[in-house]
Amino acid sequence: MSVLIKNGRIITAVDDYMADIFIAEESITTIGNSLDMVADQIIDASNKYVIPGGIDPHTHLDMPFGGTVSADNFETGTRAAAHGGTTTLIDFAIQAKGTSTLKALDIWHAKAEGKTAIDYGFHMIVTDLDDNRVHEMKMLADEGVTSYKLFMAYPGVLYVDDGTIYRAMRKAGEDGTVVCMHAENGIVIDEIVKKALSEGKTEPKYHGLTRPTRMEAEGVHRAISIAEVANVPVYIVHLSCSDALEQVILARNRGVHAFAETCPQYLFLDNSYYDKEGFEGAKYVMTPALREKWNQDELWKGLRFGHIQSIATDHCPFCFKDQKVLGIDDFSKIPNGGPGVENRMSLVYNGGVNSGRISLNKFVELTSTAAAKTFGLFPKKGTIAVGSDADIVIFDPNRKETISINNACTHHMNVDYNAYEGFEVKGFTETVLSRGKVIIDDCDYIGKKGDGHYLKRGLYGGMK
Ligand code: URP
Ligand code: ZN
Ligand code: ZN
């Protein structure tokens, strides 16, 4: 199968030019002016941007959490991602305490294999790592799991202590891999939560009020300090606020390999969403919590000046009606997480490029290239170049959509609400190719379950 994309404006993290692209056998073989080549399929991309498929390095599909399981599985979640212009996900396998991380990887392979619309990889969530198990990290790396997530939050569930963090970081540093950190002081937060509940404060808004930004900043500071001593690159996930960003900037300024991602929810939503009527605020119960609005400008500045390298979604959806409701009498029992994998590209384009906050090249870097580099996928993924996988999005910068669960073009996620309901965006994914095969054609999914492949990722590629 060969494809010729004609007349598009090709945008990568560094380039911006008009050219045609010829694709054969899943990868880009030729880029040039007025290509006159015979192809099985010709796509006219006049007046459109031709960009690398999005990479979302932070999703939780089919994840057991908070007494339930996230509502999107590997079939529905990857299909929704494809609709939104994302062609690679990195999800998380979870080590059950006291068991092998390799066994966890097998379990997650079984959840995903043969089901996905797009390519995917795994990070490993490490929940315990005594000295006898540390060697497994290299075995994981050999299987293409070259990054690990550790949690300073959720005591009794995913939380690990500082000793475990240091052991994992030291080994990751030796192996050339990277550690992702959920950086929040979960021990102190749990005390604040207990006090709130004892005072009868049970509504969703107390989720936000019991998670001070200073406790995120403390986690970020501690994570980076341990990483500095262990000599490993550290990637702070879902950074939500100015206090935490300040810690990343301080560390980077002293030369530490500290990196961060933020997410659309922290750029476009704020803590006023917890004041919605009745139990509606539960839709926005996620961790870290939504912050005061002024933090958004600081995060955009962090993105613009390169202190935050990626925008992921932390897509972890739970249905309002039968999952979020688990916490109707106690905010601490509301499953933590929200949807977003489908809407990321349009939200960031509209809120970033259209608003003059970031350039087009920066848009590509934040939504694709940086994640490919950090997580060992570049240049196979994350750019448009000869030899790269033909994961390509034809993006219409002028198309307007209103994001809504009722809009058949903006909501394919398996969840009964959209966190960005009513948001108007200009800039929308029109056509998506995954390794050269068209899988989205103007809101229609025309791929098939199992098109996506597991990605054995390389070692830390460096956003040095
Ligand atoms: O609330 C969130 N973020 N849920 C998913 C798990 C995590 O902490 O990333
Ligand atoms: Zn997290
Ligand atoms: Zn997460």
Side-chain angles (χ1 to χ4, degrees), residues 151-162:
F151 284 80
M152 292 171 152
Y154 311 127
V157 188
L158 299 170
Y159 169 88
V160 287
D161 62 20
D162 290 353

Side-chain angles (χ1 to χ4, degrees), residues 194-374:
K194 262 193 271 172
K195 182 165 184 293
L197 289 172
S198 75
E199 291 165 359
K201 298 170 175 166
T202 59
E203 302 101 290
K205 71 174 179 189
Y206 290 105
H207 175 75
L209 293 170
T210 53
R211 310 188 91 85
T213 56
R214 188 46 53 197
M215 288 296 95
E216 185 180 348
E218 187 279 331
V220 170
H221 174 78
R222 184 158 37 104
I224 294 175
S225 302
I226 301 172
E228 188 176 358
V229 173
N231 197 21
V232 67
V234 63
Y235 177 91
I236 306 296
V237 295
H238 48 46
L239 187 122
S240 73
C241 60
S242 174
D243 284 347
L245 175 59
E246 196 174 66
Q247 296 302 320
V248 174
I249 295 172
L250 282 172
R252 289 174 64 80
N253 284 346
R254 65 174 192 272
V256 184
H257 287 186
F259 308 100
E261 73 177 21
T262 188
C263 308
Q265 54 269 35
Y266 305 117
L267 295 169
F268 300 109
L269 307 177
D270 61 75
N271 63 357
S272 68
Y273 282 72
Y274 294 126
D275 297 328
K276 282 181 179 278
E277 212 171 299
F279 191 57
E280 286 284 303
K283 293 178 176 173
Y284 304 94
V285 166
M286 54 190 70
T287 308
L290 299 180
R291 305 304 193 183
E292 288 174 18
K293 196 168 176 57
W294 64 267
N295 287 278
Q296 295 173 358
D297 277 344
E298 299 305 309
L299 294 179
W300 280 111
K301 267 191 241 162
L303 290 164
R304 189 163 63 244
F305 296 123
H307 302 303
I308 304 174
Q309 290 73 35
S310 290
I311 302 178
T313 58
D314 193 11
H315 177 78
C316 188
F318 296 103
C319 289
F320 182 64
K321 287 207 181 82
D322 51 39
Q323 294 185 294
K324 289 287 187 181
V325 78
L326 290 170
I328 189 91
D329 297 321
D330 174 349
F331 71 89
S332 72
K333 296 201 167 66
I334 299 169
N336 282 204
V341 75
E342 183 167 352
N343 307 119
R344 179 182 68 132
M345 302 288 276
S346 278
L347 284 167
V348 175
Y349 180 81
N350 184 68
V353 181
N354 287 347
S355 309
R357 287 167 163 141
I358 54 171
S359 70
L360 257 176
N361 297 115
K362 193 74 177 174
F363 164 66
V364 172
E365 184 183 313
L366 293 169
T367 55
S368 180
T369 318
K373 289 185 174 174
T374 306

Side-chain angles (χ1 to χ4, degrees), residues 412-429:
H412 300 83
M413 298 171 285
N414 187 38
V415 59
D416 60 359
Y417 71 100
N418 190 302
Y420 305 96
E421 186 67 35
F423 274 55
E424 287 178 12
V425 289
K426 185 174 167 204
F428 202 74
T429 293

Side-chain angles (χ1 to χ4, degrees), residues 94-116:
I94 308 177
Q95 176 198 22
K97 278 201 171 70
T99 69
S100 162
T101 56
L102 297 158
K103 185 165 172 229
L105 181 58
D106 287 345
I107 293 170
W108 256 263
H109 272 311
K111 285 173 186 265
E113 204 175 335
K115 303 211 182 72
T116 71

Side-chain angles (χ1 to χ4, degrees), residues 33 128 164 402:
N33 278 325
D128 89 73
T164 305
T402 301

